RNA sequence: GGGCGAUUAACUCAGGGGUAGAGUGUCUCGGUGACAUCGAGGAAGCCAUUGGUUCAAAUCCAAUAUCGCCCACCA
């Protein structure tokens, strides 16, 4: 076994952390990411989705922030004044839970023991100590947001905006207080919104209960998955059209255990197909039942305490029991009474709280609501009329679907951490809403004619209420600030689809209401990052990929490039480590190219004018460079990040490194200085532009190479984006000479590989009659051909019928003497294989050309294209056939 | 139940009316003055199925199948 030298050789690239530290420190020193309010440049505003202050960078953040950073850096290089507004969200429930756990560890039994004020002090303390974690992680990722403007949703300014909005919406009857069924979290003891409820399919049972009909010995049987709600039943409903029960309508049943007389009512809600067709109605604990109860004027009976235990409205034996214990007792009691008819297995959806992961109970309480329906109209309209566009457009359907069916938004939370609701109550229950206590005191005084005691509502607002104001509250609203005028509305919002309803829709509703304009022109909705098998990442599955670990392992830029290259529209991202390794290699490749430039003294000459370039190879690469730059540019602008990354990748690796540098390499080492000057200049120029194009995606390495290693000029992040229009570069469609050379070299290499001619044995290429232009090309690239194709000589040889292999490039034919070293049969095989491919191609085209309909109806250009294609292939095939015949004769 | 999306090489995915593309993997050769985290060259596909539109369909339309997601659903 030969020793693998690769293992001995340690690549001497500087460490990722050194590169990352260098780049971020010069960006910080030069404040490249700060928006310039006084700049005359046109603005681009990106509102960062504020991560939870309790958060730690996960792969979704990494994707989201990388894409925003690509956009931000790109537009800066395009000469725009970019505001990327960062900040964090106070995350009411998450933060409160976290700090509650913390004080528990400190030996405090509950937040109640501390009291509201002291508990909040603890939360602020925590925020001061640990709240910056996520921000530092974002900075490490390279997020070039304007951190000097960092905001927090509980900042004084943002809180003022919250109060202003609340009061204003209240005055306009868009916020109201109401007693309604809400989703109640019995663990957190707070109401939550519909969106915070997650339905999970669970195994359960249908219990069939017999309710005795008063005055008879008969029963009506009802089915339920929640036996304990029996205690709160106020009627039994049957469908008026259901013949089975028609005679029972209006009769009464004796509700077992509680012995309450309740009516059998007729209601369309009862579905004869479901269960027994008769349904028990518990208005206080079921959303549908609530409506039924209302229709029949039945007072709901609440059977629960806020912590989910049974309350005073239930029989003594049940009071204080948890729901599950009460359920078991009901079943046992019913069975004992002989009223349990049967039990069936079922799988049904059970609501869970997204934060507490506990079963959510419909619960009747007084809460504050936003009349979302009224606010939704204009938001829907702004998408319909194109003021705001979703990318990809398919998300607009999702948006409409939800907005059209929107329900009142419950905004009050029975928590301590958050924006306190600016409402006060008089002892008689009168509500006063105002921004400050003084304000409501004045209101109260004018009502009562004297000073009275006012108590502020103890509840706080849903966190999304304040983040819904983010696009304008961060810019100084309600003050008419310069920022607001310049940076509102934003241009682009980058977000995951999971918060379209939570956040995007609410920002649009509130933004349009208060600012008269939708808060952003475009919403780019990116995919979810999944594991390599396509599973959603979750802590319980243990398949969570920690971006910070990946960043340590591969470097931040590698992760950024990987996420960008994988960010296709409309499909989830499966993060496979293979891909990451591939892109790590790409960054290494760039470093090696850089090393090559250094070794060969390729230094950027400020006097160098690319319009004066003469050599075809240089013209070729410049041409491709600008094509790539234009391409990357339009792909970023249309949010096709994967295309942008791939396009740059391909150009750098396969055009610049594989061909340009290889072709130029032998010439660079020649002594002719004048001759080399143009090549060296071009090489340095193109490389500097490569770094520019890649900068938005991999800022750390490109900045490092640009300003530290090569000292190409100022900081890269301040450079202009290459643009063929602005720089008036004429792009040509074809560069025949270089393209022909590449084809020629590829043919030679392919032949070598197929015939097993080792690279070290140089070959002699003969030609008989070829066009002079090809000879010229060969002569001007002779060094390249020698060094990268292993060609020793070219010579005229009229007698080309020796044992020779054939190379056909366009309409030129070459032959290589095999000198008996090579098995003719192998060459014959190779040629025959090529030929049969060509013949297949011809027959496909022939089939078309012989089709009368094709000739009659296809556009002329297409027909001509097919014909000339066929001509080309045919001439190649003919010459190949000739060569085969000749070789055949030798055998 | 309502809606959306996916199905293309072994894998992960682009593309999108005119002969099928990339990266990874795989096979062969290679220790060469940028790079073995590399270079050169191969092999590998009835583009899910069935119908339609079209001169022409992987691409457009419709149905089907399978998988995924969102919303609704605790009789």
């Amino acid at each position: 076994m030969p020793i693998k030298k690769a293992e001995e050789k340690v690549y001497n690239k500087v460490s990722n952390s050194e590169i990352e530290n260098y780049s971020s420190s010069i960006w910080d020193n030069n404040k490249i990411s700060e928006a310039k309010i006084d700049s005359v440049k046109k603005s681009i505003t990106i509102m960062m989705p504020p991560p939870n202050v309790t958060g730690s960078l996960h792969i979704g953040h990494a994707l989201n922030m990388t894409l925003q950073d690509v956009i931000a850096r790109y537009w800066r290089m395009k000469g725009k004044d970019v505001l990327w507004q960062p900040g964090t969200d106070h995350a009411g429930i998450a933060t409160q839970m976290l700090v509650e756990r913390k004080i528990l560890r400190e030996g405090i039994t509950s937040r109640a023991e501390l009291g509201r004020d002291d508990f909040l002090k603890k939360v602020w303390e925590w925020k001061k100590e640990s709240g910056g974690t996520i921000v530092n992680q974002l900075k490490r990722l390279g997020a070039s947001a304007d951190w000097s403007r960092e905001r927090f949703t509980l900042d004084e300014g943002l809180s003022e905006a919250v109060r202003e909005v609340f009061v204003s919406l209240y005055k306009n009857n868009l916020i109201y207080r109401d007693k309604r069924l809400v989703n109640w979290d019995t663990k957190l003891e707070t109401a939550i919104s519909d969106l915070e409820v997650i339905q999970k399919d669970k195994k359960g049972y249908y219990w069939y209960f017999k309710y005795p009909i008063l005055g008879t010995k008969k029963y009506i049987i009802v089915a339920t998955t929640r036996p304990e709600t029996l205690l709160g039943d106020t009627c039994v409903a049957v469908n008026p059209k259901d013949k089975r029960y028609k005679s029972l309508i209006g009769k009464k049943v004796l509700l077992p255990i509680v012995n309450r007389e309740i009516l059998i009512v007729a209601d369309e809600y009862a579905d004869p197909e479901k269960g027994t067709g008769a349904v028990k109605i518990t208005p206080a604990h079921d959303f549908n039942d609530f409506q039924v109860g209302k229709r029949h004027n039945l007072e709901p009976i609440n059977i629960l305490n806020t912590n989910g235990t049974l309350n005073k409205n239930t029989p003594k034996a049940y009071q204080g029991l948890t729901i599950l214990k009460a359920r078991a007792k009901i079943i046992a009691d019913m069975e004992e009474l002989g009223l349990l008819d049967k039990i069936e297995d079922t799988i049904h959806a059970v609501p869970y709280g997204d934060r507490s992961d506990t079963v959510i109970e419909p619960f009747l309480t007084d809460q504050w609501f936003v009349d979302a329906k009224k606010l939704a109209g204009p938001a829907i309209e702004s998408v319909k009329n194109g003021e705001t566009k979703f990318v990809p457009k398919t998300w607009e359907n999702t948006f409409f679907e939800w907005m059209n069916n929107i329900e009142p938004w419950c905004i009050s939370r029975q928590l301590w951490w958050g924006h306190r609701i600016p409402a006060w109550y008089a002892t008689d229950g009168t509500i006063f809403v105002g921004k400050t206590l003084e304000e409501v005191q004045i209101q109260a005084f004018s009502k009562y004619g004297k000073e009275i005691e006012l108590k502020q509502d103890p509840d706080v607002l849903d966190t999304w209420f304040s983040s819904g104001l983010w696009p304008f509250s961060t810019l100084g609203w309600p003050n008419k600030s310069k920022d607001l005028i310049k940076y509102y509305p934003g241009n682009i919002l980058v977000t995951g689809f999971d918060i379209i309803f939570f956040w995007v829709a609410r920002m649009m509703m509130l933004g349009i209401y208060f600012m008269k304009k939708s808060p952003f022109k475009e919403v780019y909705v990116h995919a979810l990052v999944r594991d390599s098998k396509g599973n959603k990442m979750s802590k319980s599955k243990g398949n969570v990929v920690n971006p910070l670990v990946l960043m340590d392992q591969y470097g931040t830029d590698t992760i950024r490039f990987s996420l960008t290259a994988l960010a296709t529209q409309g499909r989830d991202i499966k993060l496979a480590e293979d891909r990451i390794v591939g892109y790590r290699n790409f960054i290494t490749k760039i470093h090696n190219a850089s090393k090559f430039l250094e070794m060969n003294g390729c230094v950027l000459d400020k006097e160098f004018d690319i319009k004066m370039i003469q050599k075809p190879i240089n013209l070729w690469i410049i041409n491709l460079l600008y094509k790539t730059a234009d391409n990357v540019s339009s792909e970023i602008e249309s949010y096709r990040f994967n295309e942008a990354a791939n396009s740059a990748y391909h150009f750098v690796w396969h055009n610049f490194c594989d061909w340009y540098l290889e072709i130029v390499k032998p010439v660079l080492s020649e002594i002719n200085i004048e001759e080399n000057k143009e090549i060296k200049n071009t090489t340095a120029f193109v490389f500097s532009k490569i770094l520019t194009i890649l900068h938005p995606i991999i800022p750390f390495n490109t900045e490092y190479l640009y300003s530290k290693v090569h000292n190409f000029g100022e900081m890269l992040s301040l450079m202009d984006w290459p643009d063929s229009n602005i720089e008036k570069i004429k792009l040509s469609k074809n560069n025949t000479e270089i393209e022909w050379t590449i084809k020629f070299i590829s043919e030679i290499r392919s032949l070598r590989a197929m015939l097993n001619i080792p690279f070290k044995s140089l070959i002699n290429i003969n030609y008989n009659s070829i066009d002079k232009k090809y000879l010229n090309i060969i002569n001007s690239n002779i060094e390249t051909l020698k060094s990268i194709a292993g060609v020793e000589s070219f010579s005229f040889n009229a007698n080309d019928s020796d044992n020779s292999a054939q190379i056909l490039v366009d309409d030129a034919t070459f032959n290589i003497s095999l000198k008996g070293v090579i098995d003719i049969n192998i060459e014959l095989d190779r040629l025959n294989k090529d030929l049969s491919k060509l013949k297949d191609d011809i027959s496909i085209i022939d089939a078309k050309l012989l089709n009368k309909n094709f000739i009659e109806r296809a556009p002329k250009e297409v027909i001509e294209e097919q014909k000339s294609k066929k001509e080309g292939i045919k001439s190649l095939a003919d010459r190949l056939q000739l060569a085969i015949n000749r070789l055949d004769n030798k055998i």
Side-chain angles (χ1 to χ4, degrees):
Chain A
M1 277 283 282
I3 299 162
K4 239 188 154 188
K5 289 197 179 171
E7 283 166 19
E8 298 165 13
K9 212 169 183 176
V10 177
Y11 181 64
N12 63 354
K13 199 186 103 174
V14 286
S15 72
N16 284 318
S17 57
E18 190 177 324
I19 290 169
E20 286 161 22
N21 289 340
Y22 169 81
S23 294
S24 37
S25 74
I26 68 167
W27 297 331
D28 286 351
N29 293 340
N30 291 278
K31 303 183 173 179
I32 60 128
S33 53
E34 286 186 12
K36 314 272 188 299
I37 181 69
D38 296 321
S39 159
V40 292
K41 290 176 179 174
K42 279 193 177 165
S43 68
I44 292 279
T45 304
I46 309 165
M47 282 291 159
M48 176 189 288
N52 283 358
V53 66
T54 54
S56 174
L57 192 78
H58 60 63
I59 198 80
H61 289 131
L63 171 70
N64 178 255
M65 298 295 172
T66 298
L67 298 183
Q68 289 178 76
D69 196 48
V70 169
I71 297 170
R73 289 179 188 270
Y74 168 77
W75 284 116
R76 266 183 224 120
M77 295 179 111
K78 277 287 221 182
K80 296 286 199 290
D81 172 33
V82 173
L83 168 62
W84 183 12
Q85 172 65 51
T88 48
D89 189 300
H90 69 277
I93 295 178
T95 312
Q96 178 162 325
M97 279 171 77
L98 188 143
V99 177
E100 276 185 288
R101 276 199 300 271
K102 191 173 171 251
I103 60 170
L104 215 65
R105 283 197 302 272
E106 290 167 1
I108 298 163
T109 52
S110 71
R111 65 181 148 116
E113 186 189 327
L114 272 182
R116 186 167 190 142
D117 290 345
D118 283 342
F119 178 75
L120 288 178
K121 260 185 210 159
K122 285 267 181 196
V123 184
W124 280 108
E125 269 169 33
W126 172 87
K127 198 251 172 192
K128 212 174 162 191
E129 281 166 30
S130 317
T133 306
I134 182 81
V135 167
N136 289 328
Q137 289 168 338
L138 293 178
K139 286 179 181 169
R140 208 198 132 188
L141 187 68
S144 63
D146 187 348
W147 295 106
S148 70
R149 290 168 173 262
E150 183 186 340
R151 302 307 297 268
F152 180 53
T153 46
L154 271 176
D155 276 353
E156 184 38 45
L158 271 63
S159 301
E160 190 195 341
V162 165
R163 288 190 294 269
E164 177 78 29
V165 164
F166 187 96
V167 172
S168 164
L169 289 177
Y170 177 78
K171 279 185 184 153
N172 290 290
N173 295 321
L174 290 163
I175 281 183
Y176 56 90
R177 188 165 168 83
D178 196 8
K179 195 181 204 75
R180 291 174 56 115
L181 269 193
V182 294
N183 298 295
W184 187 263
D185 190 313
T186 54
K187 189 171 164 192
L188 301 168
E189 297 189 48
T190 177
I192 58 176
S193 76
D194 300 348
L195 285 175
E196 290 160 281
V197 177
I198 296 165
Q199 304 287 341
K200 292 189 191 177
D201 277 334
K202 292 280 171 183
K203 252 189 175 170
Y205 303 93
Y206 285 133
W207 283 276
Y208 288 80
F209 290 147
K210 297 196 256 188
Y211 284 8
I213 299 167
L214 267 184
T216 70
K217 286 194 172 159
K218 287 182 184 164
Y219 302 100
I220 188 165
I221 300 176
V222 294
T224 181
T225 55
R226 293 188 301 160
E228 70 282 2
T229 59
L230 177 150
L231 302 175
D233 282 356
T234 58
C235 69
V236 171
V238 298
N239 195 289
K241 287 178 194 138
D242 194 332
K243 285 175 191 160
R244 292 172 294 177
Y245 298 113
K246 211 153 199 174
S247 62
L248 297 179
I249 295 168
K251 294 236 161 74
K252 280 185 174 171
V253 298
L254 186 67
L255 188 61
I257 300 171
V258 279
N259 295 324
R260 182 159 63 228
E261 289 181 14
I262 59 174
L263 263 176
I264 297 174
V265 302
D267 198 288
E268 292 288 344
Y269 167 67
D271 183 349
E273 304 292 315
K274 280 188 187 168
T276 60
V279 56
K280 60 192 263 327
I281 299 296
T282 322
H285 298 284
D286 183 290
F287 288 97
N288 288 311
D289 292 6
F290 186 72
Q291 297 303 326
V292 177
K294 239 183 179 174
R295 280 199 286 274
H296 298 277
N297 290 320
L298 296 165
E299 197 59 32
I301 299 171
N302 179 13
I303 61 164
L304 293 176
N305 293 311
T306 54
N307 65 0
T309 56
L310 272 68
N311 67 12
K312 291 184 298 193
N313 297 333
T314 62
K316 268 245 159 70
Y318 284 87
Q319 291 177 17
L321 294 184
T322 63
I323 286 169
L324 285 182
K325 279 187 179 154
R327 181 174 297 178
K329 186 169 167 54
I330 290 272
I331 296 161
D333 288 353
M334 288 297 274
E335 185 155 29
E336 210 183 303
L337 291 168
L339 296 174
L340 176 61
D341 185 50
K342 60 176 175 176
I343 304 172
E344 270 175 14
D345 288 349
T346 183
I347 290 173
H348 62 118
V350 180
Y352 281 79
D354 66 347
R355 289 284 166 197
S356 65
D357 200 35
T358 183
V359 176
I360 294 302
E361 298 293 333
F363 193 64
L364 197 59
T365 53
D366 285 310
Q367 301 289 343
W368 290 93
F369 295 89
V370 168
D371 186 348
K373 196 125 213 151
K374 284 214 182 89
L375 292 173
I380 293 169
E381 185 51 32
S382 78
V383 175
K384 279 198 174 146
N385 68 24
E387 189 190 344
T388 292
K389 292 193 177 87
F390 279 77
V391 183
K393 203 174 162 57
T394 166
W395 288 108
E396 289 181 3
N397 291 329
T398 309
F399 175 80
F400 289 140
E401 176 62 22
W402 190 68
M403 291 296 261
N404 285 326
N405 298 300
I406 200 162
E407 292 287 322
W409 170 19
C410 175
I411 49 170
S412 41
R413 297 288 179 276
Q414 287 64 51
L415 305 172
W416 286 350
W417 176 241
H419 300 275
R420 186 96 178 249
I421 290 175
W424 282 259
Y425 305 98
T427 39
D428 65 1
T430 309
I431 301 171
F432 296 94
V433 169
K435 278 178 271 181
T436 59
L437 177 61
E438 291 72 44
E439 216 179 292
V440 293
Q441 273 169 339
I442 293 166
Q443 288 176 34
F445 190 84
S446 70
K447 182 178 160 89
Y448 296 102
K450 59 174 181 180
E451 273 184 29
I452 58 149
E453 197 195 335
L454 290 169
K455 262 196 182 153
Q456 185 169 9
D457 193 311
D459 295 350
V460 300
L461 288 163
D462 182 4
T463 305
W464 296 103
F465 190 85
S466 53
S467 37
L469 316 179
W470 189 252
F472 52 96
S473 64
T474 52
L475 296 175
W477 189 90
N479 300 313
K480 274 200 174 168
S481 67
K482 272 163 93 179
D483 284 347
L484 209 54
I485 293 162
K486 182 167 183 182
Y487 299 119
Y488 191 95
N491 299 75
I492 172 73
L493 179 79
V494 178
T495 183
F497 62 81
D498 48 336
I499 53 172
I500 289 181
F501 305 144
F502 274 113
W503 192 49
V504 180
R506 279 142 181 191
M507 279 192 288
M508 289 180 66
M509 291 192 283
L510 294 166
I512 292 171
Y513 185 83
F514 287 98
M515 299 297 297
K516 310 294 171 227
K517 270 185 192 161
S518 178
F520 19 74
K521 293 173 189 129
E522 289 178 294
V523 180
Y524 175 73
V525 181
H526 64 243
L528 209 68
V529 184
R530 297 169 177 280
D531 74 2
S532 59
K533 287 177 198 129
N535 294 315
K536 206 168 174 172
M537 290 184 187
S538 72
K539 274 181 198 162
S540 54
K541 278 185 207 151
N543 61 348
V544 177
V545 174
N546 183 344
L548 296 162
V549 172
L550 292 176
M551 282 154 70
D552 286 339
Q553 204 173 344
Y554 297 104
T556 302
D557 277 346
T558 295
I559 305 314
R560 291 175 56 111
F561 197 95
S562 304
L563 290 170
T564 309
L566 291 167
T568 56
Q569 289 185 4
R571 196 196 273 233
D572 284 346
I573 296 173
K574 285 183 203 156
L575 193 65
E577 197 141 341
D578 284 4
R579 287 294 281 267
I580 298 176
V581 170
Y583 294 125
R584 189 264 325 262
N585 296 353
F586 176 59
I587 288 174
T588 308
K589 186 80 179 174
I590 297 166
H591 277 270
N592 283 310
S594 158
K595 202 162 110 190
F596 177 85
L597 263 69
E598 279 185 277
M599 289 169 69
N600 288 284
C602 299
V603 181
L604 195 64
D605 179 353
K606 290 238 167 80
E607 304 298 306
F608 177 61
D609 180 2
I610 58 168
K611 292 194 181 95
M612 304 302 283
I613 290 175
Q614 297 289 326
K615 286 178 85 70
I617 183 65
N618 293 335
L619 288 168
W620 174 77
I621 197 70
I622 291 285
N623 196 54
L624 272 179
L625 166 73
Y626 278 93
K627 269 187 192 166
T628 307
D630 290 353
N631 194 245
V632 170
S633 186
S634 72
E635 300 294 15
I636 291 178
E637 287 181 29
S638 53
Y639 312 110
R640 294 151 64 98
F641 297 99
N642 60 315
E643 298 286 341
N646 288 334
S647 167
Y649 179 99
H650 186 265
F651 172 72
V652 172
W653 202 313
H654 300 305
N655 296 136
F656 183 69
C657 291
D658 285 354
W659 286 108
Y660 180 78
L661 290 185
E662 290 302 326
I663 288 173
V664 139
K665 194 186 282 180
V667 194
L668 269 182
S669 58
E670 275 178 26
I671 306 163
N672 187 341
I673 293 166
E674 273 312 304
E675 171 94 348
N676 290 348
K677 214 170 174 183
E678 186 185 293
I679 292 176
K680 287 187 178 178
N681 276 329
T682 307
T683 306
F685 177 84
V686 173
F687 189 67
S688 74
K689 296 299 176 193
I690 282 173
L691 296 177
T692 314
I693 295 169
L694 288 170
H695 186 63
I697 308 177
I698 48 169
F700 294 107
N701 283 275
T702 49
E703 182 69 75
Y704 177 82
L705 291 174
Y706 192 94
S707 56
K708 169 126 191 202
V709 176
H710 292 280
N711 200 10
F712 277 150
E714 305 164 55
M715 281 169 53
L716 177 55
S717 47
L718 301 175
M719 299 308 293
D720 288 337
W721 184 268
D723 185 316
S724 67
N725 282 322
I726 292 170
E727 295 169 48
K728 301 208 167 78
I729 312 273
K730 277 184 200 146
L731 298 180
S732 63
K733 268 200 169 159
N734 38 19
N735 284 266
T736 42
E737 173 171 342
I738 301 302
E739 273 156 21
W740 187 86
T741 308
I742 288 173
K743 252 191 267 179
F744 186 38
I745 292 169
S746 299
E747 285 295 329
I748 297 171
R749 284 170 166 175
S750 171
L751 177 121
R752 276 177 167 285
M754 300 292 276
L755 298 184
N756 264 321
I757 306 170
F759 189 79
K760 274 180 180 157
S761 62
L762 301 180
I763 55 173
N764 302 301
I765 294 184
N766 300 317
Y767 52 89
N768 182 347
S769 64
I770 61 167
D771 197 309
K772 215 175 173 188
K773 69 182 175 192
Y774 295 129
L775 278 184
N776 287 337
I777 296 176
I778 290 168
N779 283 331
S780 57
N781 290 291
I782 194 79
E783 287 306 319
T784 299
L785 286 164
K786 279 183 182 172
S787 85
I788 68 176
V791 177
E792 186 165 47
S793 69
F794 281 91
S795 49
F796 174 78
N797 185 348
N799 180 13
D800 63 355
S801 58
D802 287 352
N803 294 353
S804 55
Q806 305 292 316
I807 295 177
L808 310 180
V809 190
D810 294 346
D811 52 345
T813 305
F814 300 89
N815 53 75
I816 295 160
S817 176
L818 299 174
K819 290 178 184 163
V821 186
I822 301 305
D823 188 343
I824 292 175
N825 285 313
I826 297 177
E827 169 66 356
L828 212 49
D829 275 355
R830 185 183 75 99
L831 296 179
N832 270 315
K833 217 172 130 204
D834 284 355
L835 183 63
S836 83
K837 235 183 218 164
L838 293 178
K839 280 184 173 165
D840 286 350
D841 290 350
I842 290 172
S843 63
I844 289 170
I845 298 175
D846 268 344
K848 275 191 186 178
L849 292 174
L850 289 172
N851 184 342
K852 226 169 111 188
N853 286 326
F854 176 71
I855 300 295
E856 277 170 13
R857 302 197 197 185
K860 263 188 195 160
E861 311 89 71
V862 175
I863 298 175
E864 282 312 309
E865 197 193 321
Q866 294 293 318
K867 277 185 179 168
S868 72
K869 231 180 207 171
K870 185 189 160 181
E871 287 309 307
I873 300 173
K874 198 152 185 303
S875 119
L876 266 177
D878 288 349
R879 281 179 297 140
L880 211 50
Q881 187 66 61
L882 216 70
I884 289 169
N885 291 344
R886 251 193 330 252
L887 274 181
D888 237 354
N889 290 335
K890 296 285 167 191
I891 298 172

